[in-house]
């Protein structure tokens, strides 16, 4: 017999969990099932990623955060009613009524109404300038108010409060304060010592932290002017974000007579049923196992449980782990398991490095065998590993302190991610286990993170598990005896290093010949710039000649950095940051003539922004006339060699750092590499040029120079490491020659020197052996190869300015000399600025 | 909305430029009736393509400055700003379902490029 069951489902709430429920239900649906789904959402837009809400301030649009488009709902037959909350439930008739008067009948009703910000009843909370932090609309209001505000505060020093406070800083407020009632930050996640470390770290980021403060009143007229505390002190602010916790949205459940908790939350059983078995509650409105789970992973798990049950399967919601890692704040914080358990119930190992702002604590079972919980502040790189060790009750190594200190004997502590059992949860947002991943990789041939994201959604939530997913891919492939090659793209089945060797041996100099010889298809935006970089690193011929112009990344192709709005920036080289008054005047004149915005860069030179494509050649003609050269700010090549003033003026200087910096910059300018290269030279140990944050940095000593390599700023800063001590200038240059050429030849595309070193087997001792001791016997080759590149250097702008054919390419239109009429500017502090994205 | 269906709508052919104005395996932008059109000389495949010059992602006028290539045989262009890539055949964005650009038919006659634009 063939029968089709038609089930009517109403979902109240189109937040993250409500949406996930729909998605899961569709995927669990069997062929003979028909679900007629109606979703009511109170907010005006389709479901979006609330977890990454703060990225709205970092330039993400509502669209970027969106989890599903209108079309998705349509294609899946889901009726979506937005700006239309459910206002009543008739449990007898089994129907809901919405604000706009829609009445819809259900077989199952899913309450996914989430929670709202908890706003304590402090006098004055209703004033203008007081906000909560929950929806895109909240953030839009905060942004527009912040543009006029100077001093902001956040009430609440928990996970969300700190995120909001960082957002205030990023919005450009002069002061951002965090006011917390408890005596420590993140009281639910970290201990006193952790809070102290975190407080120091946050203060160094520019936040001001007030602990143990109870707010009596929010002062001011219509608009707030300050916060009055019970201890008599006053904090003057012109905006306040309240982040004092969440309040489950159980009002609808209450109206319908469902059982709710006196402190908020719709009470559900292990199947997530409310006191009415036809009504389920999931996400932040549901109180399961006596608690509200204010995190996304348990919310998604709840969606999974209800979707599975409605589709006829069996699943229960079990107590869920609440481990968390704080994101976005500029310093790492994480806690897992039971962070607070004290001796004698456990053994606690603590590690603190005040200078570096690191605090770590792990709690270990009395018998020393398993991990019970812990706290990481300042460095949470071991979080995923520790979390898995805790969740899977993995037996600890004999020296459990290795867990947080890293093993100091050379061997890695623990067996790594491949040592986890198959049911270890790797992606907790999407509930993907290690076993599932291994299956997808090993049996179904999904060998890339992208492929895994598609087939099992791992890594699509908060993204925190992606590094582990990569390790598992490598692990499975290794087990299968497959050597994982990081091949370029679908057009080239080689790694960058292999391709470089092949191109060199074959002596190829154009993209077309490389593609014909070693690739297939037409190429793409991944392999073209990669081959461009390889060709430049091998031969250093003009990047715009032969067929090489259209394979360059857009910035290289126009020898300038493209800006918002489609104009370009111009950065002439100013070696070592030293410049004559005459040249300064020329920069001023050029900027004035072409109406450019000028700014001193972080690299000790001057950037001129807002140049029309068609003006670039004339601008450069004038600069070159005055003796300037390209600064290669657009290329994966040497940027700046910063200097401090050194012994020529400074009373502490022991060597002439400016002269050496200029010499180094002139030597390596124009050198193309897998990623950009930065350097600096300091005149003494005080290190004013910040050489230890550079790809290669030089610091003067009484006896010569110390050479450091593989430092990095950027989002994962890393200090450079000492390669050689007290060497003379000549030796220093030779070591840099070898180092750079070795990097150019062996690094993956777009890997900075720090990343390259981190992946290198044998690490710094291996690198030192190759570069200083010449253990591979290649030092002479490296020196010769780099000298060849240096010998053929030419300023590429000079070439363009003098070559009418090349010059012709710098126009916006091919059929008229007009400039792009869509380019317009705003003004700010008497200079122009790019128009905001629309 | 995208379409390359030149039968459904009536096309007018507009002269854009000389073939030499567009670099091999690269693009250029022509101003046609006040509209910016990106033209691509996909010489490796011996094909010409034309699309909107404006990228729908952040409304930037720069598609013609993007790099061309193919994905599993489908010709595409990558916007230089944030690397959204668009099929040169259908205009569909290949790495983000939320976007698409218009494509236009191209005719080459006596080394001149003509773009067909619907009424
Ligand atoms: C102009 C400048 C900011 C400023 O106004 O001061 C700047 C501007 C840009 N930086 Fe930077 N960075 C500038 C100094 C820095 C510094 C500081 C320094 O060099 O001392 C750093 C950290 C040091 C480091 O690199 O290790 C820095 C780390 C980055 C990174 C992160 C690199 C990393 O390894 O993680 C990127 C992204 C990238 O390259 O992939 C980046 C990328 C960019 C880009 C190219 C983004 C882009 O693709 O459009 C910006 C180009 C703007 C333009 O069109 O001119 N910029 N950038 C600085 C130019 C220095 C110069 O004279 O050349
Ligand atoms: C800034 C911020 C950062 C966060 N960071 C993290 C993090 O790093 N990690 C983490 O795990 N979690 C984080 N969270 C928490 C996470 O976002 C929530 O756990 C998750 O959004 C809960 O999903 P939900 O669907 O239950 O509720 P919501 O996403 O709040 O969705 C509920 C929806 O229902 C609507 N609604 C309410 N009543 C009705 C009604 N009667 N009818 C119709 N619709 C109704 C609401 O308007 C809302 O749109 C963060 C939250 C915020 C605000
Ligand atoms: S200049 Fe650098 S840090 Fe500043 S916005 Fe651009 S890339 Fe980011
Ligand atoms: S503007 Fe084209 S990808 Fe963003």
């Amino acid at each position: 017999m063939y029968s089709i069951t038609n089930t009517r489902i109403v979902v109240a709430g189109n937040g993250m969990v409500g949406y996930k429920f729909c998605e899961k239900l569709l995927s669990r649906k069997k062929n003979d099932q028909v679900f007629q789904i109606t979703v009511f959402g109170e907010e005006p837009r389709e479901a979006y990623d609330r977890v990454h809400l703060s990225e709205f301030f970092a330039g993400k649009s509502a669209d970027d955060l969106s989890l599903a488009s209108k079309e998705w709902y349509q294609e899946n037959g889901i009726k979506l009613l937005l700006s239309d909350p459910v206002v009543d439930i008739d449990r007898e008739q089994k129907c809901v009524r919405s604000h706009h008067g829609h009445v819809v009948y259900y077989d199952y009703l899913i309450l996914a109404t989430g929670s709202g910000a908890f706003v304590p009843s402090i006098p004055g909370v209703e004033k203008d300038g007081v906000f909560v932090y929950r929806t895109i609309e909240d953030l839009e209001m905060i942004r527009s108010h912040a543009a006029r505000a100077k001093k902001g505060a956040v009430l609440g020093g928990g996970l969300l409060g700190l995120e909001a406070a960082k957002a205030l800083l990023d919005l450009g407020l002069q002061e951002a304060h965090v006011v917390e009632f408890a005596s420590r930050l993140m009281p639910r996640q970290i201990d006193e010592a952790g809070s102290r470390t975190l407080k120091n770290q946050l203060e160094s980021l520019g936040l001001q932290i007030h602990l143990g403060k109870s707010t009596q009143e929010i002062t001011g007229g219509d608009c707030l002017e300050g916060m009055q505390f019970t201890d008599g002190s006053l904090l003057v602010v012109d905006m306040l974000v309240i982040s004092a916790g969440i309040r489950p949205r159980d009002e609808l459940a209450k109206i319908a007579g469902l059982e709710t908790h006196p402190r908020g939350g719709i009470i559900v059983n292990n199947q997530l049923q409310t006191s009415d078995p036809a009504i389920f509650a999931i996400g932040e409105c549901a109180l399961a196992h006596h608690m509200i789970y204010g995190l996304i992973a348990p919310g998604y798990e709840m969606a999974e449980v209800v979707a599975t049950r409605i589709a006829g399967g069996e699943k229960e919601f079990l107590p869920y782990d609440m481990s968390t890692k704080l994101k976005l704040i500029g310093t790492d914080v994480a806690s897992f398991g039971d962070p607070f358990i004290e001796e004698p119930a456990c053994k606690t190992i603590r590690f603190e490095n005040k200078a570096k702002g690191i605090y770590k604590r792990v709690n270990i079972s009395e018998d020393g065998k398993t991990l019970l919980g812990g706290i990481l502040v300042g460095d949470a790189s071991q979080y995923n590993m520790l979390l898995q060790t805790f969740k899977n009750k993995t037996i600890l190594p004999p020296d459990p302190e290795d867990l947080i200190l890293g093993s100091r004997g050379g061997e890695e502590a623990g067996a790594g991610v491949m040592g986890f059992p198959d049911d270890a949860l790797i992606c907790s947002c999407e509930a993907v286990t290690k076993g599932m991943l291994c299956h997808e990789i090993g049996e179904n041939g999904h060998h890339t993170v992208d492929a895994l994201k598609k087939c099992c959604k791992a890594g699509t939530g908060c993204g925190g598990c992606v590094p582990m997913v990569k390790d598992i891919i490598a692990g499975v492939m290794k087990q299968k005896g497959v050597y994982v090659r990081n091949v370029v793209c679908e057009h080239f089945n080689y790694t960058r290093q292999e391709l470089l060797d092949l191109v060199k041996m074959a002596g190829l100099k154009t993209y077309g010949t490389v593609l014909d010889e070693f690739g297939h298809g037409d190429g793409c935006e991944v392999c073209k710039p990669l081959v461009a970089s390889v060709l430049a690193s091998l031969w250093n011929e003009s990047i715009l000649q032969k067929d090489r112009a259209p394979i360059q990344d857009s910035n290289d192709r126009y020898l300038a950095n493209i800006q918002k709005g489609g104009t370009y920036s111009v950065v002439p080289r100013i070696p070592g940051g030293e410049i004559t008054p005459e040249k300064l005047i020329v920069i001023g004149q050029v900027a004035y003539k072409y109406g450019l915005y000028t700014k001193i860069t972080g690299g000790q030179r001057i950037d001129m922004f807002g140049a029309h494509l068609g003006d670039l050649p004339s601008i450069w003609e004038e600069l070159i006339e005055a003796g300037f050269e390209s600064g290669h700010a657009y290329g994966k090549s040497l940027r700046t060699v910063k200097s401090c003033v050194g012994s020529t003026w400074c009373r502490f200087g022991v060597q002439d750092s400016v002269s050496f910096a200029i010499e180094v910059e002139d030597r390596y300018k124009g050198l193309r590499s897998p990623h950009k290269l930065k350097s600096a030279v300091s005149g003494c140990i005080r290190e004013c040029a910040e050489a230890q944050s550079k790809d290669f940095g030089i610091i003067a000593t009484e006896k010569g120079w110390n050479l450091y390599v593989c430092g990095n700023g950027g989002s994962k800063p890393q200090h450079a490491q000492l390669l050689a001590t007290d060497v003379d200038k000549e030796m220093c240059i030779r070591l840099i020659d070898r180092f750079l050429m070795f990097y150019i030849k062996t690094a993956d595309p777009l890997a900075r020197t720090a990343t390259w070193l981190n992946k290198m087997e044998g690490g710094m001792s291996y690198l030192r052996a190759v570069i200083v001791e010449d253990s591979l016997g290649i030092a002479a080759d490296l020196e010769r190869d780099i000298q060849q590149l240096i010998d053929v250097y030419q300023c590429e702008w000079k070439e363009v300015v003098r070559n009418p054919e090349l010059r012709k390419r710098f126009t916006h239109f091919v059929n008229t000399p007009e400039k792009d009429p869509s380019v317009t500017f705003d003004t700010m502090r008497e200079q122009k600025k790019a128009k905001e994205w629309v | 909305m995208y379409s390359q269906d030149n039968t459904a709508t009536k096309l007018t052919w507009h002269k854009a430029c000389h073939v030499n104005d567009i670099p091999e395996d690269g693009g250029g932008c022509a101003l046609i009736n006040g509209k910016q059109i990106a033209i691509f000389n996909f010489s490796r495949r011996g094909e010409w393509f034309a699309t909107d010059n404006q990228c729908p992602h952040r409304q930037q006028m720069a598609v013609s400055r993007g790099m061309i290539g193919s994905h599993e045989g489908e010709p595409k262009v990558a916007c230089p700003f944030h690397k959204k890539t668009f099929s040169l055949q259908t205009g569909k964005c290949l790495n983000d379902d939320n976007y698409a650009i218009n494509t236009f038919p191209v005719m080459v006659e006596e080394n001149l490029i003509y773009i067909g634009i619907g009424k």
Side-chain angles (χ1 to χ4, degrees):
Chain A
M1 211 181 82
Y2 185 72
S3 84
I4 287 199
T5 54
N6 186 351
T7 314
R8 294 164 305 174
I9 293 165
V10 170
V11 184
N14 186 37
M16 296 186 75
V17 175
Y19 160 73
K20 185 56 72 176
F21 166 76
C22 295
E23 189 193 290
K24 299 236 172 190
L25 186 62
L26 294 170
S27 70
R28 298 288 174 281
K29 186 174 90 81
K30 304 187 188 72
N31 283 340
D32 59 350
Q33 291 177 321
V34 174
F35 294 125
Q36 209 177 313
I37 309 174
T38 309
V39 178
F40 287 94
E42 177 192 56
E43 292 186 66
R45 55 187 95 240
E46 292 84 38
Y48 57 89
D49 183 354
R50 207 177 300 288
V51 170
H52 294 101
L53 191 61
S54 295
E55 293 177 19
F56 186 70
F57 289 144
K60 285 223 169 150
S61 64
D63 274 358
D64 295 331
L65 292 173
S66 165
L67 293 174
S69 62
K70 248 191 207 72
E71 291 71 36
W72 181 85
Y73 289 93
Q74 272 166 12
E75 279 158 22
N76 289 295
I78 299 175
K79 182 156 186 208
L80 176 65
L81 296 147
L82 292 176
S83 303
D84 194 14
V86 174
V87 290
D88 199 11
I89 306 173
D90 183 339
R91 287 166 50 196
E92 297 265 293
Q93 296 292 321
K94 287 194 160 185
C95 66
V96 300
R97 184 169 53 83
S98 76
H99 173 68
H100 288 319
H102 293 281
V103 174
V104 180
Y105 287 82
Y106 63 82
D107 296 308
Y108 295 112
L109 169 62
I110 319 296
L111 299 177
T113 47
S115 66
F118 166 68
V119 179
S121 52
I122 301 169
V125 283
E126 70 295 339
K127 291 190 194 307
D128 283 350
V130 181
F131 302 92
V132 297
Y133 202 87
R134 179 86 197 171
T135 64
I136 288 188
E137 285 69 27
D138 291 335
L139 268 68
E140 279 171 345
M141 289 191 290
I142 290 174
R143 177 155 70 189
S144 78
H145 189 86
R148 291 172 276 128
K150 292 201 170 67
K151 299 176 180 181
V154 173
L155 188 69
L159 268 168
L160 254 177
L162 295 181
E163 196 177 313
K166 176 71 175 6
L168 290 186
L169 267 191
D170 294 344
L171 281 170
L173 290 196
Q174 282 165 13
E175 287 177 18
H177 299 263
V178 175
V179 176
E180 166 60 50
F181 176 73
S183 62
R184 60 175 195 265
L185 291 167
M186 298 177 65
R188 303 217 290 181
Q189 286 89 11
I190 65 176
D191 60 9
E192 288 286 342
S195 166
R196 266 199 308 275
T197 308
L198 178 60
K199 180 166 179 272
N200 285 337
Q201 288 293 98
L202 296 178
E203 283 168 349
S204 69
L205 289 173
L207 291 175
Q208 301 186 41
I209 316 275
H210 312 271
L211 299 175
K213 285 268 181 195
S214 150
T215 311
Q216 189 170 27
E217 192 190 339
I218 294 166
T219 61
D222 285 347
C223 195
L224 96 155
E225 283 161 15
M227 300 167 76
Q228 174 69 57
F229 303 116
T230 48
D231 63 6
S233 57
L234 178 81
L235 179 66
V236 177
V237 288
D238 46 15
M239 77 183 285
L240 173 65
V241 177
I242 297 201
S243 177
I246 56 173
R247 176 113 190 55
R249 301 276 308 264
D250 57 6
E251 64 275 10
L252 181 61
K254 275 193 185 140
I255 294 173
L258 299 172
E259 209 184 326
T260 56
H261 193 273
R263 286 212 305 275
I266 308 169
I267 298 176
V268 292
N269 62 17
N270 288 1
Q271 281 129 50
L272 304 171
Q273 272 165 324
T274 65
S275 50
D276 179 338
I279 306 180
F280 294 83
I282 56 178
E284 281 190 345
C285 63
L287 187 101
H289 305 293
H290 311 289
M291 66 184 287
I292 297 289
Y293 289 90
L295 292 176
I296 194 57
Y300 279 6
E301 173 71 9
M302 290 181 178
E304 163 91 23
V305 168
V306 178
T308 308
R309 297 196 74 90
I310 292 183
E314 280 298 315
K315 196 167 166 94
E316 291 207 342
F317 182 75
L318 303 172
Y320 205 91
D321 176 58
M322 288 293 279
S323 307
T324 33
K325 189 167 162 205
L326 183 62
K327 55 182 194 299
L328 286 173
I329 188 85
T331 181
D332 280 359
V333 191
S335 84
F336 59 95
D338 186 343
F340 301 124
I341 181 171
E342 287 286 343
E343 286 165 32
C346 72
K347 293 186 205 158
T348 295
I349 301 174
R350 290 191 171 83
F351 166 79
E352 193 168 357
N353 181 336
K354 288 219 168 86
K356 290 196 168 151
I358 295 174
Y359 170 76
K360 300 179 186 182
R361 161 179 177 170
V362 286
N363 307 321
I364 290 169
S365 63
E366 269 178 290
D367 60 8
K369 291 218 172 97
T370 52
L371 186 60
L372 304 176
I375 297 169
L376 303 169
V377 177
D379 170 17
S381 49
Q382 295 123 326
Y383 172 70
N384 278 326
M385 208 54 103
L386 290 173
L387 180 62
Q388 293 301 327
T389 308
F390 154 71
K391 279 194 186 164
N392 298 303
K393 304 200 169 55
T394 312
I395 302 294
L396 296 178
D399 299 313
E401 62 271 22
D402 288 356
L403 287 174
I404 49 174
L405 298 178
S407 125
R408 283 131 299 145
E411 284 270 306
E412 269 293 309
V417 57
M418 293 314 281
F420 294 147
D422 273 354
D423 58 0
L425 202 55
I426 302 295
C427 171
S428 35
C429 297
E430 294 288 340
V432 183
T433 61
K434 181 192 150 204
M436 290 157 73
L437 283 168
C438 290
H439 181 79
E440 291 297 339
I441 302 163
E443 314 302 321
N444 295 344
H446 297 297
H447 297 166
T448 61
V449 175
D450 279 345
L452 290 169
K453 279 185 175 170
K454 271 208 180 123
C455 69
C456 63
K457 299 212 143 212
T460 54
C462 70
C465 62
V466 170
M468 271 204 289
V469 172
K470 283 190 182 155
D471 288 349
I472 294 178
I473 298 177
V476 174
M477 300 306 276
K478 202 168 161 188
Q479 279 171 358
K480 288 177 60 176
V482 181
Y483 155 60
V484 197
R485 291 158 67 245
N486 202 353
V487 301
V488 176
C489 68
E490 63 174 88
H491 306 107
F492 287 96
N493 200 17
Y494 296 105
T495 64
R496 177 183 178 277
Q497 188 178 349
E498 288 165 349
L499 198 59
L500 183 134
D501 290 337
L502 289 169
V503 171
K504 181 174 186 191
M505 269 182 308
L508 303 181
K509 298 195 167 173
T510 63
Y511 179 74
T513 53
V514 175
L515 186 59
D516 290 341
E517 197 79 14
F518 302 117
H520 42 87
D522 313 303
C524 67
E525 74 281 1
V526 175
C527 59
K528 284 184 171 179
L530 184 137
V531 171
S533 147
V534 162
L535 292 174
S537 289
L538 285 174
W539 322 116
N540 210 6
E541 289 185 349
S542 160
I543 61 169
L544 298 183
Q545 297 284 13
K546 308 213 172 115
D547 70 349
R548 290 186 298 255
I551 63 164
Q552 306 296 333
D553 252 326
S554 165
N555 284 354
D556 281 283
R557 176 165 177 203
Y558 295 106
L559 306 179
N561 299 39
I562 195 164
Q563 305 295 328
K564 243 187 202 170
T567 60
Y568 287 86
S569 71
V570 174
V571 191
R573 191 168 289 291
I574 299 180
E578 183 186 84
I579 186 164
T580 59
E582 290 78 5
K583 279 186 156 175
L584 269 178
I585 290 171
V586 172
I587 289 193
Q589 283 167 337
V590 168
Y592 188 76
K593 176 164 167 194
Y594 292 92
L596 307 175
Y597 165 83
T598 51
K599 178 180 182 300
I600 312 278
T601 72
Q604 295 190 341
R605 47 191 189 170
I606 299 171
D607 203 341
M608 293 171 263
F609 295 84
H612 279 276
L613 182 56
D615 285 341
L616 287 175
S618 356
I619 291 174
W620 275 103
E621 189 161 27
E622 294 186 29
L623 290 170
I624 285 165
E625 188 61 30
F628 284 105
E629 288 184 322
S630 167
H632 297 94
Y634 44 80
K636 301 290 173 234
S637 54
L638 182 81
R639 294 288 163 87
T640 61
V641 179
K642 299 212 299 186
S643 74
C644 72
V645 64
S647 61
T648 47
W649 291 91
C650 176
R651 65 198 162 119
F652 293 119
V654 293
Q655 308 271 358
D656 179 1
S657 46
V658 178
S659 300
F660 200 17
I662 294 174
E663 193 179 317
V664 171
E665 182 154 350
D666 276 334
R667 180 167 182 83
Y668 301 115
K669 65 188 173 193
L671 187 69
R672 286 218 152 55
S673 41
H675 206 314
K676 59 192 175 195
L677 291 167
K678 297 180 175 182
S679 177
V681 184
S682 279
C684 84
I685 189 78
R686 286 168 194 75
E687 243 285 69
C688 299
E690 302 171 307
Q692 286 167 96
S693 67
K694 300 299 175 200
D695 296 283
F696 57 105
I698 305 164
I699 302 176
T701 66
E702 296 285 349
K703 298 186 209 130
W705 305 89
N706 283 353
L707 175 60
Y708 292 80
V709 293
C710 300
N712 201 174
S715 62
K716 283 232 174 333
Q718 183 167 322
H719 276 134
Q721 298 185 42
L722 188 62
L723 185 74
T725 317
D726 292 328
V727 288
D728 61 17
K729 263 192 181 179
E730 196 196 340
M731 190 58 193
C732 190
I733 295 276
R734 280 177 72 181
L735 292 177
I736 301 171
D737 277 358
R738 296 175 189 175
F739 166 75
L740 289 179
M741 204 60 212
F742 189 50
Y743 164 65
I744 288 174
K745 288 194 164 175
T746 61
D748 281 338
L750 301 182
R752 290 287 292 270
T753 52
T755 320
W756 170 66
L757 176 66
N758 295 346
K759 285 195 184 160
M760 192 179 289
E761 258 179 66
M764 196 59 200
S765 27
Y766 175 73
L767 185 64
R768 192 175 293 113
V770 175
I771 303 300
V772 183
E773 291 142 32
D774 192 15
S775 61
L776 299 180
I778 55 172
D781 290 346
L782 295 174
E783 287 175 32
R784 189 199 56 226
D785 289 349
I786 201 160
Q787 192 58 49
Q788 276 174 4
L789 299 179
I790 292 167
D791 289 343
V792 298
Y793 164 81
Q794 278 189 22
C795 168
E796 47 213 21
W797 263 115
K798 214 171 266 174
E799 190 191 355
V800 170
V801 164
R802 292 181 184 154
N803 179 330
E805 265 311 298
L806 291 180
R807 227 179 141 134
K808 226 180 70 185
R809 295 198 195 143
F810 289 77
T811 53
H812 183 71
F813 292 115
V814 291
N815 59 346
T816 145
E818 246 173 89
K819 290 177 182 169
D820 180 359
S822 73
V823 170
T824 44
F825 301 99
D826 285 335
T827 352
M828 192 188 228
R829 290 184 293 276
E830 292 155 51
Q831 292 204 69
K832 63 162 66 154
K833 81 176 182 85
K835 269 247 184 310
E836 238 349 279
W837 305 118
V838 265
Chain B
M1 287 278 286
Y2 44 88
S3 88
Q4 210 191 16
D5 186 356
N6 42 5
T7 48
T9 42
K10 213 165 151 28
L11 286 180
T12 319
W13 292 97
H14 298 263
K15 188 168 98 183
C17 57
H18 191 268
V19 286
N20 292 345
D21 291 333
I22 313 284
E24 291 195 354
D25 286 316
C29 173
L31 187 63
I32 296 175
N33 278 353
K35 197 173 159 56
Q36 301 199 16
I37 308 278
I39 303 172
F40 299 97
N41 176 2
F42 211 140
S43 52
R44 191 171 174 87
R45 297 166 69 111
E47 293 178 281
W48 288 83
F49 298 96
T51 68
D52 287 332
N53 192 37
Q54 176 160 312
C55 173
H57 175 233
R58 288 285 181 261
Q59 277 72 48
Q60 300 292 305
M61 282 295 185
V63 174
S64 60
R65 299 181 211 165
M67 216 178 289
I68 58 173
S70 67
H71 173 60
E72 289 168 0
E74 180 156 16
K76 61 171 184 173
V77 57
C79 173
F81 274 90
H82 314 93
K83 297 270 162 77
K84 302 267 177 217
T85 61
F86 300 92
S87 161
L88 288 170
Q89 275 161 353
T90 66
K92 260 196 198 144
C93 181
L94 302 173
N95 50 8
D96 189 335
D97 290 340
N98 293 313
Y99 301 105
I101 52 179
N102 288 302
T103 60
F104 305 95
V106 183
M107 190 166 75
V108 185
E109 248 176 44
E110 296 180 353
N111 288 330
L112 291 177
I113 311 279
Y114 296 84
I115 307 295
I117 296 181
K119 285 263 169 75

